[in-house]
Amino acid sequence: MRGNIAQLMQQAQRMQENLQRAQEELAKIEVTGSSGAGMVNVTLTGRMECRKVRIDPSVLADPEMAEDLIAAAFNDAVNKVNAESQAKMAAATAGMPIPPGMKLPF
């Protein structure tokens, strides 16, 4: 019994180290979301910090369309960061499902 608890504690420690490493990797990635067939691009880091926004000058002629395309590009980038985050966290937890609504890091 005692050996099982020690082994479980070691597994938990390894998983915590893997999660830490995955979070560090995520902080370094950059993803680009786009909209309007590439007329607007938004680049975010894994920490959801905006690094760059590129807007085709032709989009600026219609401010309402520009607003919509910027929002769509930003949402696309956020979705890509979230997908990358889920993939890295799944790898770090060795496929063990994280309960819905549980935020990482703890």
Side-chain angles (χ1 to χ4, degrees), residues 28-68:
K28 295 176 186 176
I29 68 166
E30 287 189 357
V31 298
T32 301
S34 63
S35 65
M39 295 174 76
V40 175
N41 293 307
V42 174
T43 302
L44 297 179
T45 68
R47 291 186 174 160
M48 302 290 184
E49 296 170 343
C50 186
R51 290 286 183 219
K52 183 174 23 174
V53 176
R54 191 194 64 75
I55 303 171
D56 187 287
S58 65
V59 173
L60 299 175
D62 184 352
E64 189 173 314
M65 181 178 72
E67 291 170 358
D68 292 343

Side-chain angles (χ1 to χ4, degrees), residues 5-23:
I5 292 174
Q7 185 179 13
L8 185 61
M9 293 300 288
Q10 287 176 344
Q11 285 178 320
Q13 179 67 29
R14 278 194 304 272
M15 186 168 54
Q16 185 176 13
E17 290 168 0
N18 290 342
L19 286 170
Q20 180 81 22
R21 212 171 7 263
Q23 289 169 349

